Amino acid sequence: MKTLIKNVELIETPAYELTNICIEDEKILTVGEVPQDFVPDKTIDGNGKLATAGMVNTHGHVSMTLLRSYADDMALMDWLNNMIWPIEAKMKAKDIYWGAMLGITEMLKGGTTCFADMYDFMEDVAKACCQLGIRANLCRGLVGLGPDSLVQKRLSDNNALADNWQGAENGLIRVTYGPHAPYTCTKEYLLQIKEEASKRNCELQMHLCETKFEVESCKQEHGMTPIEWVDSLGLLDLGMISAHSVHLSDHDLEIMATKKARVAHNPQSNLKLASGIAPVEKMLAKGIIVGLGTDGASSNNNLDMLEETRAAAMLHKATTFDPLVVPAKKAWEMATVDGAKVLGFENLGLLEAGQIADIVLWDMHKPYWYPRHNKLSQMVYAANSNDADTVLVAGKVVLEAGKLTNFDEELIYFETERCAKALTKS
């Protein structure tokens, strides 16, 4: 399949300067002049549009869309123990599937083409990903609490996910293991997870150093910070996506840099749950790769990666009193190419020959796109996720004129409402 995007603007070029993007199968063939022998099967008119790489959401729980605005303005542990975990215990596979369909629709319509997810019934999430055509890094949330039979079933679920879905859909799906957090996993369980992940050459996703409570309780129980503790167990040696990473010591940062742990920074979720502000400036100074994430829609409450990009660009300026600490360019890299690196996807996140064609065309015929002094700055500081007009994942058009190309959106809305009402019915 050959696709031509013609007469489109790029984020780094002068305003109104047009170019072309040639795509063959899942990869970008050229950016610029169209080769004479390139005969497209499909041509997309990019006039008035800005082409960028798709954004990458490095941390979330996509089926939490069913719990959007269900439990707000609460502290994390109160929120988890008294509101979220009890209703999650009621969720069945169909709930997870339709919640994922809703969340993926929201992300695609907002210019996100790749995401990470940690939850239950993950094979149903994988099916939703393939149905709507989004790229994902998936893991089963592994909580070491409850009856041993349930604890072991969770690990078996992650094993099955890895065995059945690793590399599925021509690499669209990547599988990791998801130990939930230091306060929900025993040492013995973490070592079991490590063994199973090692057998399958899988990396890990884990909530680490999200709250002061987590750090202090880990110190009391193990005499180490969460980063020090998981490192002592050898978990960082497998490759770690460290979600949140808010409360880090200098020693933690040294360990993360040495072991090449990557960070999923969730600025808005951390603000809403009053967890704190991650020391992103210190991470970047250490060479730690930082991507951006929304977290679940119950703690954010949307999956809007442009909002996260803007928050990351602005938040750290205020905390460091340094307007240069996360400039627009770096914030955009965190949302795209750096996010792809966090999730372990190669050749992704840039509009260059040889890169995977995960591409978004943004409609610039909006008042805040004029005048166009600096399109990169406008993308980060002014644009709206609703500007996403056309989305391609692996060279396939999955969103056209703001609408899904391969599924009925109204059916998704209907089914998610039905699931949510049944879950919250007393």
Side-chain angles (χ1 to χ4, degrees):
M1 178 72 177
K2 294 181 179 180
T3 303
L4 170 64
I5 303 174
K6 67 176 186 178
N7 300 326
V8 72
E9 293 191 44
L10 302 181
I11 202 165
E12 66 272 12
T13 59
Y16 309 106
E17 181 179 298
L18 303 181
T19 191
N20 308 287
I21 303 172
C22 296
I23 301 165
E24 185 167 9
D25 297 326
E26 78 278 5
K27 290 192 175 181
I28 298 172
L29 185 66
T30 63
V31 178
E33 292 296 319
V34 180
Q36 288 187 348
D37 60 349
F38 185 81
V39 180
D41 301 293
K42 180 180 179 64
T43 299
I44 300 170
D45 185 2
N47 196 20
K49 306 293 193 301
L50 176 71
T52 73
M55 291 184 291
V56 179
N57 186 346
T58 61
H59 180 66
H61 316 283
V62 68
S63 299
M64 265 190 169
T65 48
L66 294 184
L67 307 181
R68 193 193 315 268
S69 303
Y70 168 71
D72 287 332
D73 303 327
M74 302 175 70
L76 176 63
M77 297 313 297
D78 183 27
W79 176 80
L80 282 172
N81 287 311
N82 298 315
M83 296 297 290
I84 298 303
W85 284 341
I87 197 169
E88 284 180 340
K90 300 180 185 178
M91 286 184 169
K92 307 300 182 187
K94 68 177 179 64
D95 301 312
I96 300 301
Y97 170 76
W98 286 112
M101 291 291 280
L102 179 64
I104 293 167
T105 299
E106 182 180 351
M107 285 190 281
L108 288 174
K109 288 170 74 74
T112 294
T113 56
C114 177
F115 74 106
D117 203 54
M118 174 194 288
Y119 221 52
D120 196 356
F121 299 103
M122 291 305 294
E123 295 204 48
D124 291 275
V125 176
K127 292 172 187 175
C129 292
C130 295
Q131 199 151 20
L132 295 182
I134 199 168
R135 190 179 306 279
N137 183 323
L138 306 177
C139 67
R140 170 62 159 96
L142 300 173
V143 175
L145 306 176
D148 188 61
S149 58
L150 178 58
V151 170
Q152 293 305 315
K153 182 186 180 302
R154 292 169 183 146
L155 184 52
S156 296
D157 288 347
N158 211 143
N159 291 340
L161 182 69
D163 293 341
N164 297 334
W165 287 92
Q166 186 70 277
E169 295 292 295
N170 195 29
L172 204 69
I173 304 298
R174 182 176 172 85
V175 177
T176 44
Y177 276 67
H180 175 261
Y183 54 90
T184 56
C185 293
T186 63
K187 175 182 177 180
E188 292 72 26
Y189 195 42
L190 288 175
L191 291 176
Q192 272 191 291
I193 294 167
K194 176 188 172 185
E195 181 180 358
E196 295 298 333
S198 297
K199 286 179 186 177
R200 294 166 176 82
N201 197 29
C202 288
E203 296 188 322
L204 307 176
Q205 298 184 47
M206 191 172 186
H207 299 86
L208 286 169
C209 301
E210 183 176 1
T211 64
K212 288 183 178 179
F213 163 81
E214 176 198 328
V215 174
E216 292 308 312
S217 62
C218 190
K219 284 181 178 179
Q220 289 175 12
E221 185 173 358
H222 304 291
M224 292 177 275
T225 68
I227 295 293
E228 291 169 339
W229 187 49
V230 297
D231 183 45
S232 74
L233 300 179
L235 299 187
L236 298 189
D237 297 326
L238 298 184
M240 175 66 76
I241 301 166
S242 177
H244 301 292
S245 307
V246 175
H247 300 281
L248 300 173
S249 69
D250 289 342
H251 188 229
D252 290 337
L253 289 163
E254 290 287 349
I255 293 171
M256 295 173 78
T258 300
K259 295 296 177 73
K260 301 190 184 305
R262 294 102 68 192
V263 171
H265 174 41
N266 303 266
Q268 292 195 117
S269 172
N270 294 155
L271 288 170
K272 181 168 179 275
L273 292 172
S275 299
I277 299 171
V280 167
E281 72 285 357
K282 292 183 179 179
M283 297 177 196
L284 296 178
K286 290 285 186 185
I288 296 169
I289 298 172
V290 180
L292 300 177
T294 59
D295 209 352
S298 185
S299 59
N300 186 311
N301 292 11
N302 61 35
L303 306 181
D304 190 329
M305 277 293 294
L306 259 187
E307 283 191 4
E308 300 299 332
T309 306
R310 187 167 303 147
M314 292 185 174
L315 185 63
H316 303 289
K317 291 174 171 60
T319 57
T320 63
F321 301 97
D322 180 0
L324 306 179
V325 64
V326 181
K329 183 175 186 296
K330 187 60 187 175
W332 184 247
E333 289 171 351
M334 290 162 70
T336 53
V337 62
D338 289 349
K341 292 175 183 176
V342 168
L343 298 192
F345 287 103
E346 297 181 353
N347 303 316
L348 186 69
L350 297 170
L351 291 192
E352 295 178 354
Q355 289 275 302
I356 295 172
D358 288 9
I359 300 173
V360 180
L361 304 185
W362 305 86
D363 180 4
M364 292 189 291
H365 192 54
K366 304 289 179 68
Y368 41 80
W369 277 104
Y370 295 91
R372 293 179 198 155
H373 296 300
N374 185 320
K375 288 179 288 187
L376 177 57
S377 285
Q378 281 171 282
M379 189 79 238
V380 174
Y381 296 124
N384 189 296
S385 61
N386 291 328
D387 300 342
D389 176 86
T390 302
V391 175
L392 296 85
V393 179
K396 296 178 182 178
V397 177
V398 295
L399 190 83
E400 194 165 29
K403 296 291 183 182
L404 296 178
T405 60
N406 53 7
F407 208 88
D408 181 358
E409 289 179 33
E410 293 303 322
L411 178 60
I412 295 171
Y413 303 149
F414 173 80
E415 293 291 350
T416 51
E417 280 283 5
R418 185 162 67 172
C419 289
K421 287 176 181 177
L423 284 170
T424 55
K425 187 177 180 180
S426 57

